[in-house]
Amino acid sequence: MCRWMAWSGQPLIIEELLFKPPHGLVEQSLHSNMGVETTNGDGFGLGWYGDGEGPAIYRSIAPAWGDANLRELAAHVESSLFLAHIRATTGTAIQQTNCHPFRHGRWLFVHNGVVNGFHEMRRDLMLAVDPSLFPAIEGSTDSEVVFHLALSFGLDDDPIGAVERAIGFVEATAERHGVDNPVQASMGLSDGERLWAFRYSTEGRSRTLFSSSDAAAIRRLHPENERLQRLQDEDRVVVSEPLADLPGVWERIEESTVLVIQPGPDEHHPFRPRAPAQAAAI
Amino acid sequence: MCRWMAWSGQPLIIEELLFKPPHGLVEQSLHSNMGVETTNGDGFGLGWYGDGEGPAIYRSIAPAWGDANLRELAAHVESSLFLAHIRATTGTAIQQTNCHPFRHGRWLFVHNGVVNGFHEMRRDLMLAVDPSLFPAIEGSTDSEVVFHLALSFGLDDDPIGAVERAIGFVEATAERHGVDNPVQASMGLSDGERLWAFRYSTEGRSRTLFSSSDAAAIRRLHPENERLQRLQDEDRVVVSEPLADLPGVWERIEESTVLVIQPGPDEHHPFRPRAPAQAAAI
Amino acid sequence: MCRWMAWSGQPLIIEELLFKPPHGLVEQSLHSNMGVETTNGDGFGLGWYGDGEGPAIYRSIAPAWGDANLRELAAHVESSLFLAHIRATTGTAIQQTNCHPFRHGRWLFVHNGVVNGFHEMRRDLMLAVDPSLFPAIEGSTDSEVVFHLALSFGLDDDPIGAVERAIGFVEATAERHGVDNPVQASMGLSDGERLWAFRYSTEGRSRTLFSSSDAAAIRRLHPENERLQRLQDEDRVVVSEPLADLPGVWERIEESTVLVIQPGPDEHHPFRPRAPAQAAAI
Amino acid sequence: MCRWMAWSGQPLIIEELLFKPPHGLVEQSLHSNMGVETTNGDGFGLGWYGDGEGPAIYRSIAPAWGDANLRELAAHVESSLFLAHIRATTGTAIQQTNCHPFRHGRWLFVHNGVVNGFHEMRRDLMLAVDPSLFPAIEGSTDSEVVFHLALSFGLDDDPIGAVERAIGFVEATAERHGVDNPVQASMGLSDGERLWAFRYSTEGRSRTLFSSSDAAAIRRLHPENERLQRLQDEDRVVVSEPLADLPGVWERIEESTVLVIQPGPDEHHPFRPRAPAQAAAI
């Protein structure tokens, strides 16, 4: 499967989170503790909002731990909202167009998990993608198709609902194909302003996903930790597995919920996939 | 666009054709004379029949001229039937799954040219691919879709007819979309026994394609040329552009024809695309 | 050989110079007009000063024209001083450690040209590199060795003198080896504050090198050109060949001179290589 | 560090050893049991003797487990003598020229281990390489330098003695530099006729290295195992760690010894590094 992380908060040199913590994402590419695979070496990607128009993405098929360019970028790019992803393929080709984040306009999307039965359902799922979006599918992953289903089902107007419809549509398709437990997913999504962190699986046993606690609480808990003392109130990290073993710093995102990180108070919502009415008829 | 070549004949160390001729295919990757682009540096591929089961493919996104591994393989792999292709992308991603040859079972396929309007027709074309073959499409090129259309339309039983139906289907789809001159193609195809070389474009002005002349004739014409004296009667090369400027060695493959290279006398056939009856109804 | 460019001036999204001009550096990677080779497809590099500590480098063995990540970075990184380089190898391996710019501390260095006879002189040249710098040589190019010679011969204290001694040492070594015309070089160097552009060859027939004219003069000459009207007085571009064919915009850097671009008036100096006293004794 | 394997015997499709055994080398790239690192994902290489002149090498910076081309080659290249290596870098760049096997003429060389203190000793070690061989060093690893020292110290005439002198020279150099335990090495070497497997470390606690037992004995021990029944008397495998957990199949190569696999009876010799007289004076 994969691992991912996201940052929303004060502008940060990316390596502060990607390389410097004891169990940062790049370290996880070699030694993941909580993932299905220990090694996530089938490429990686970094997407960030900053200078220039729209989000930037840097994706490579090299393992994250060994890519000299990732080390350079992380040390020299500053961003107040970024997502990073390390990949362990579940069978599809190792190529840049299969690396996360996927991008459409201002949107970035990452996925850890799998669509079981994707090989046999791929055609049906791709047919449900809006024909105007179909040519934008460049790779061959389940994740990219899920993202394009969400785009097709109204991501711009109703992000959570669109992802619920996308996942619901995958589940409805799986039922027709006789595929059990089709969806296993922790997903990150951003439009550059807000950051959504979804945790869901059909069987209700999803991959781990954590967010950092309230910054003020973290500062109180760890008065001696310089790095943590620099956290500001709006700073928030989302991670597949904790970046360090520090009590009180990480909160588990619950099954079948989505965390919305945004200016002002963040929000927790239930996440209840259901197929869209029109698509169910396909 | 691209350039390609193919060999059918006595077992040959591949570099004899790929690297050693004055204007071999690797040289063409840097300096093509007859192609639309001078440079064909967006990856390459080599497919060969030899040891092991079925054809082998080696594909890379590096330019052919600079790939150390291609030089190694070409110098150390012997084959009596191989195809090589150098790519100049017409817009789709530079990735291994977009490099030719494409393979299915014992089949290898290469294409130089373009499907105009592919971006907008991609969905319709992919829908016509047999659902059992759909998941095997790994890349995003027009060429791979054309190959899978041919596989869907009976390549195993009637190779020329299947390619005619594939191209015919593309032309019919283009007509519905209002796309002019949709197909520009020189194509190579092999099942390990025979080699088909197609030259066709909707507008009747196709990319160049040549085959070597009858080996006996070449030997008579160039008694002083050691390399050519080693040619045996069944040896035949197909090339996008001649590997060397030698009188009497190259024969132009005519517009809208296909050359079939096989044990015994080779054959020239007309090539007349027409949409398959069932698919036209989509 | 190669092509390179550099910018010093107001903060700029890098693509403004790398991709947008009609004959920008990435276009030159495919179609160079003034270089020895038309194609500069054996990797590239971008070095910039901006966020984070010291200069950043992004180097890749892909051709610049086809690298999706370069397009992303150029569109989303802003810098007031950067150098870019496209490579056409003169024989050494295509690998990231052979791509320019080379970096040491705050220094960036690019080179277009060749050290003739480098293969046979490599050992002697490397021996003259300061032993403490020797392990920092990661690749196998002549350019990286020249850079490390300059570092060994006092780059920090006397940049022009150090490069003169480095080139002088190469020439003295060549003489001992009986190599004619050893140095062909246009070189760019920066410490993040100033930018040096050297043009020199032993035979006095150097590769082309241009700088943009005085910004005020350019604005007066092209009142209708919006892009040029945005130029500020301290803005200066250095290029192997002009980015566009605009009268009065480009000034040839003279043979055996070095242009120093810096806050305040820029400077032209003669460039007169001579071997350092101590090294000549090796 | 790394893992490697070698085959000498009847002609074999390479995947039979590289991919098919339960714990084949490609599986070890992801999950090594006996190595210092679990993951050996920093590139790999395959060298084989077969068609064409001299040995072929295929090297890539991709992890072995994910390289589609390695899978192709292994399934379609047959060889009676080959070496394969998977790399875990100890600090030097991930690039093809740092991947094993290294080649010179008919020689192939692989190394698992490290030269401690290499960074500071690199210059002294490279200076001892014969000046005529110096320019052939393309990468930046300790292993390539050790190989070139062996070539400089008489590999062609006295392979074991030359490697003893190379390692001895490294140890003598380390002593001058105050480096403890400089050499940790299991090494494979072949000239296409014979195969040498060295196991040595200065401290006498070397990385594991095994060879397969006498083929007749293996066949008697495992009458039900079809694959093993196909072994012929001259077949021999050398591996960093066993390819499968089968009693009586693997023999540990002893500390400070070298196994010589050759037509007729194989030989075990002591391996006793000592600096060559002339080089010690440097």
Side-chain angles (χ1 to χ4, degrees):
Chain A
M1 315 266 164
C2 312
R3 307 273 85 188
W4 63 275
M5 62 146 298
W7 167 260
S8 173
Q10 56 179 309
L12 207 65
I13 293 286
I14 287 169
E15 69 175 4
E16 289 294 326
L17 278 174
L18 221 49
F19 285 90
K20 295 203 173 165
H23 193 59
L25 195 72
V26 173
E27 161 68 17
Q28 292 176 30
S29 68
L30 209 42
H31 301 118
S32 160
N33 295 328
M34 296 178 161
V36 175
E37 289 90 6
T38 304
T39 312
N40 293 275
D42 301 324
F44 68 87
L46 172 67
W48 71 93
Y49 298 86
D51 292 331
E53 256 182 72
I57 48 176
Y58 171 62
R59 303 190 294 183
S60 163
I61 58 171
W65 70 76
D67 190 79
N69 288 318
L70 177 59
R71 212 164 278 268
E72 290 291 321
L73 291 189
H76 294 94
V77 170
E78 194 179 73
S79 170
S80 56
L81 207 169
F82 62 87
L83 298 99
H85 184 275
I86 52 177
R87 186 168 182 242
T89 178
T90 51
T92 46
I94 298 171
Q95 55 189 21
Q96 276 182 30
T97 56
N98 283 353
C99 292
H100 310 218
F102 301 101
R103 176 179 59 190
H104 186 85
R106 68 181 194 274
W107 292 102
L108 290 180
F109 176 77
V110 295
H111 171 220
N112 161 31
V114 67
V115 172
N116 289 311
F118 178 64
H119 197 71
E120 61 217 77
M121 301 196 291
R122 186 181 172 206
R123 186 175 185 272
D124 285 359
L125 298 178
M126 285 183 74
L127 288 199
V129 169
D130 191 282
S132 71
L133 292 169
F134 188 97
I137 297 177
E138 288 191 286
S140 54
T141 59
D142 48 4
S143 308
E144 190 186 18
V145 173
V146 166
F147 177 46
H148 282 80
L149 287 171
L151 287 163
S152 301
F153 296 157
L155 194 67
D156 280 327
D157 299 322
D158 171 16
I160 295 175
V163 177
E164 285 177 331
R165 286 185 285 276
I167 298 296
F169 180 75
V170 172
E171 292 183 327
T173 304
E175 202 175 327
R176 286 207 320 278
H177 281 266
V179 171
D180 287 338
N181 294 325
V183 175
Q184 175 57 256
S186 88
M187 299 176 286
L189 178 73
S190 181
D191 61 359
E193 301 291 326
R194 285 171 297 173
L195 174 67
W196 291 261
F198 302 84
R199 183 159 177 243
Y200 177 79
S201 59
T202 311
E203 55 173 340
R205 297 172 56 185
S206 304
R207 301 279 170 270
T208 54
L209 192 62
F210 299 85
S211 75
S212 57
S213 308
D214 176 72
I218 294 178
R219 288 192 307 262
R220 273 194 310 275
L221 273 166
H222 297 277
E224 78 304 339
N225 185 317
E226 260 185 67
R227 181 191 301 266
L228 296 180
Q229 288 301 314
R230 289 198 297 269
L231 281 176
Q232 298 179 358
D233 288 357
E234 288 279 346
D235 293 352
R236 190 65 70 103
V237 194
V238 177
V239 290
S240 294
E241 51 189 84
L243 304 181
D245 186 16
L246 291 167
V249 169
W250 302 103
E251 292 175 359
R252 190 172 292 267
I253 295 178
E254 296 301 322
E255 280 281 343
S256 303
T257 68
V258 50
L259 166 63
V260 189
I261 297 168
Q262 56 193 355
D266 297 341
E267 293 173 20
H268 287 273
H269 293 282
F271 180 75
R272 301 197 181 101
R274 55 196 168 281
Q278 78 279 20
I282 287 175
Chain B
M1 315 265 164
C2 312
R3 308 273 86 187
W4 62 274
M5 63 146 298
W7 167 259
S8 172
Q10 55 180 307
L12 207 65
I13 293 284
I14 288 169
E15 70 175 4
E16 289 296 325
L17 278 175
L18 221 49
F19 285 90
K20 295 205 172 164
H23 193 59
L25 194 71
V26 174
E27 161 69 15
Q28 291 176 31
S29 68
L30 210 43
H31 301 117
S32 160
N33 296 328
M34 296 178 160
V36 175
E37 289 90 6
T38 304
T39 311
N40 294 274
D42 300 325
F44 68 87
L46 172 66
W48 72 93
Y49 298 87
D51 292 331
E53 255 182 75
I57 49 177
Y58 171 63
R59 303 190 294 184
S60 162
I61 58 171
W65 71 75
D67 190 80
N69 288 318
L70 177 61
R71 213 165 278 268
E72 291 291 320
L73 291 190
H76 293 94
V77 171
E78 194 180 74
S79 170
S80 56
L81 207 169
F82 62 88
L83 298 100
H85 183 275
I86 51 176
R87 186 167 182 242
T89 178
T90 52
T92 46
I94 298 172
Q95 56 190 23
Q96 277 183 29
T97 56
N98 283 352
C99 291
H100 310 218
F102 300 102
R103 175 177 61 189
H104 187 87
R106 67 182 194 274
W107 292 103
L108 290 179
F109 176 77
V110 295
H111 171 220
N112 160 33
V114 68
V115 172
N116 289 309
F118 178 64
H119 197 71
E120 62 217 76
M121 300 195 294
R122 187 182 172 207
R123 186 175 184 272
D124 285 0
L125 298 178
M126 283 181 75
L127 289 199
V129 168
D130 190 282
S132 71
L133 292 168
F134 189 97
I137 298 177
E138 289 192 286
S140 55
T141 60
D142 48 3
S143 308
E144 190 186 18
V145 172
V146 167
F147 177 46
H148 282 80
L149 287 171
L151 286 163
S152 301
F153 296 157
L155 193 66
D156 280 327
D157 298 323
D158 172 16
I160 296 175
V163 177
E164 285 177 331
R165 286 185 285 276
I167 298 296
F169 180 75
V170 172
E171 293 184 327
T173 305
E175 202 175 328
R176 286 208 319 279
H177 281 265
V179 171
D180 287 338
N181 294 325
V183 176
Q184 176 59 257
S186 87
M187 298 175 287
L189 178 73
S190 180
D191 61 0
E193 300 292 325
R194 288 171 294 173
L195 175 66
W196 290 262
F198 302 84
R199 184 163 178 241
Y200 177 78
S201 59
T202 312
E203 57 175 339
R205 298 172 55 184
S206 303
R207 303 279 170 268
T208 55
L209 193 63
F210 299 85
S211 75
S212 58
S213 308
D214 175 73
I218 294 178
R219 288 191 305 262
R220 275 196 307 275
L221 273 166
H222 297 276
E224 79 302 341
N225 185 317
E226 259 184 68
R227 181 190 301 265
L228 296 180
Q229 287 302 313
R230 288 197 298 267
L231 281 176
Q232 298 179 358
D233 289 357
E234 289 280 344
D235 292 352
R236 190 65 69 102
V237 194
V238 177
V239 291
S240 293
E241 50 190 82
L243 305 181
D245 185 17
L246 290 166
V249 169
W250 302 104
E251 292 175 359
R252 189 173 293 266
I253 294 177
E254 295 302 322
E255 279 281 345
S256 303
T257 69
V258 50
L259 166 63
V260 189
I261 297 169
Q262 55 194 355
D266 297 341
E267 294 173 21
H268 287 272
H269 293 281
F271 180 76
R272 300 195 183 102
R274 55 196 170 282
Q278 78 281 17
I282 287 176
Chain C
M1 316 265 165
C2 312
R3 306 275 88 187
W4 62 275
M5 64 147 297
W7 168 259
S8 172
Q10 56 180 306
L12 207 66
I13 292 286
I14 288 170
E15 70 174 4
E16 289 295 325
L17 277 175
L18 220 50
F19 285 90
K20 294 204 172 164
H23 193 58
L25 194 73
V26 174
E27 161 69 15
Q28 292 176 31
S29 68
L30 210 42
H31 300 116
S32 158
N33 295 328
M34 295 178 161
V36 175
E37 290 89 7
T38 304
T39 311
N40 293 275
D42 300 324
F44 68 86
L46 171 66
W48 72 93
Y49 298 85
D51 292 331
E53 254 181 75
I57 50 177
Y58 171 63
R59 304 190 292 183
S60 162
I61 59 170
W65 70 77
D67 189 79
N69 287 319
L70 177 60
R71 213 164 278 268
E72 291 290 322
L73 291 190
H76 294 93
V77 170
E78 195 179 72
S79 171
S80 56
L81 206 169
F82 62 88
L83 299 99
H85 183 275
I86 52 177
R87 186 165 182 244
T89 177
T90 52
T92 46
I94 298 171
Q95 56 190 24
Q96 277 182 29
T97 55
N98 283 352
C99 291
H100 310 219
F102 300 100
R103 176 178 58 189
H104 187 86
R106 67 182 195 272
W107 292 102
L108 290 178
F109 176 77
V110 295
H111 171 220
N112 161 32
V114 68
V115 172
N116 288 311
F118 178 63
H119 196 72
E120 62 218 74
M121 299 195 292
R122 187 182 172 206
R123 186 175 184 274
D124 286 359
L125 298 178
M126 285 181 75
L127 287 201
V129 169
D130 190 281
S132 71
L133 292 167
F134 189 97
I137 298 178
E138 289 191 284
S140 55
T141 61
D142 48 3
S143 308
E144 190 186 18
V145 173
V146 167
F147 177 47
H148 282 80
L149 287 172
L151 286 163
S152 302
F153 296 157
L155 194 66
D156 279 327
D157 298 322
D158 172 16
I160 295 176
V163 177
E164 284 177 332
R165 286 185 284 275
I167 298 296
F169 180 75
V170 173
E171 293 183 327
T173 305
E175 204 176 325
R176 286 207 319 278
H177 281 265
V179 171
D180 287 338
N181 294 325
V183 176
Q184 177 58 257
S186 88
M187 298 175 287
L189 177 74
S190 181
D191 60 0
E193 301 292 324
R194 289 170 294 173
L195 174 67
W196 291 261
F198 302 84
R199 183 162 179 240
Y200 177 78
S201 59
T202 312
E203 57 175 339
R205 299 173 54 187
S206 304
R207 303 278 171 268
T208 55
L209 192 62
F210 300 84
S211 75
S212 58
S213 307
D214 175 73
I218 294 178
R219 289 192 306 262
R220 275 195 309 275
L221 273 167
H222 298 277
E224 78 303 340
N225 185 318
E226 259 184 68
R227 180 190 303 265
L228 296 180
Q229 288 301 312
R230 289 198 296 268
L231 281 175
Q232 298 179 359
D233 288 358
E234 289 279 346
D235 293 351
R236 189 65 68 103
V237 194
V238 176
V239 291
S240 292
E241 50 189 83
L243 306 181
D245 186 16
L246 291 166
V249 169
W250 301 103
E251 292 175 358
R252 189 173 293 265
I253 294 177
E254 295 302 322
E255 279 281 342
S256 304
T257 68
V258 49
L259 166 62
V260 189
I261 297 168
Q262 55 194 355
D266 297 342
E267 295 173 19
H268 287 272
H269 293 282
F271 181 77
R272 300 196 183 102
R274 56 194 168 282
Q278 77 280 17
I282 287 176
Chain D
M1 315 264 164
C2 313
R3 307 274 86 186
W4 63 275
M5 63 147 296
W7 167 258
S8 172
Q10 56 179 309
L12 207 66
I13 292 287
I14 287 168
E15 69 175 5
E16 289 295 325
L17 277 175
L18 221 48
F19 285 91
K20 295 205 171 164
H23 192 60
L25 194 72
V26 174
E27 161 68 14
Q28 292 176 31
S29 68
L30 209 42
H31 301 118
S32 160
N33 295 328
M34 297 179 162
V36 175
E37 290 89 7
T38 304
T39 312
N40 293 275
D42 300 325
F44 68 88
L46 172 66
W48 72 94
Y49 298 86
D51 292 331
E53 254 181 75
I57 49 176
Y58 171 63
R59 304 191 293 183
S60 163
I61 57 170
W65 70 76
D67 189 79
N69 288 319
L70 177 61
R71 212 164 278 268
E72 290 291 321
L73 291 190
H76 293 94
V77 170
E78 194 179 73
S79 170
S80 56
L81 207 170
F82 62 87
L83 298 101
H85 184 275
I86 52 178
R87 187 167 181 243
T89 178
T90 50
T92 47
I94 298 171
Q95 55 190 22
Q96 277 183 30
T97 55
N98 283 352
C99 292
H100 310 218
F102 300 100
R103 176 178 58 189
H104 186 85
R106 67 181 193 274
W107 292 102
L108 290 178
F109 176 77
V110 296
H111 171 220
N112 160 32
V114 68
V115 172
N116 290 310
F118 179 63
H119 198 70
E120 61 218 76
M121 301 195 292
R122 186 181 173 207
R123 186 174 185 272
D124 285 0
L125 298 178
M126 285 183 75
L127 288 199
V129 169
D130 190 282
S132 71
L133 292 168
F134 189 98
I137 298 178
E138 289 191 287
S140 55
T141 60
D142 47 4
S143 308
E144 190 186 18
V145 173
V146 167
F147 177 46
H148 282 79
L149 286 171
L151 286 163
S152 301
F153 296 156
L155 194 66
D156 280 326
D157 298 323
D158 171 17
I160 295 175
V163 177
E164 285 176 331
R165 287 185 283 276
I167 298 297
F169 180 75
V170 173
E171 292 183 326
T173 305
E175 202 175 328
R176 285 207 320 279
H177 281 265
V179 171
D180 287 338
N181 294 325
V183 176
Q184 177 57 260
S186 88
M187 298 175 286
L189 177 73
S190 181
D191 61 0
E193 300 293 325
R194 286 171 295 173
L195 174 67
W196 291 262
F198 302 84
R199 184 162 178 242
Y200 178 77
S201 58
T202 311
E203 56 174 341
R205 298 172 55 184
S206 304
R207 302 277 172 272
T208 55
L209 192 62
F210 299 85
S211 75
S212 58
S213 308
D214 175 73
I218 294 179
R219 287 192 308 262
R220 273 194 310 274
L221 274 167
H222 298 276
E224 77 304 339
N225 185 317
E226 260 184 68
R227 182 190 300 265
L228 295 180
Q229 287 301 315
R230 288 198 297 268
L231 280 176
Q232 298 180 358
D233 288 357
E234 288 279 345
D235 293 352
R236 191 64 69 105
V237 194
V238 176
V239 291
S240 293
E241 50 189 82
L243 306 180
D245 186 16
L246 290 167
V249 169
W250 302 103
E251 293 174 359
R252 191 174 291 265
I253 295 177
E254 296 302 322
E255 279 282 344
S256 303
T257 69
V258 51
L259 166 63
V260 189
I261 297 168
Q262 55 194 355
D266 296 342
E267 294 173 19
H268 287 272
H269 292 283
F271 180 75
R272 301 195 182 103
R274 55 194 168 280
Q278 77 280 17
I282 286 177

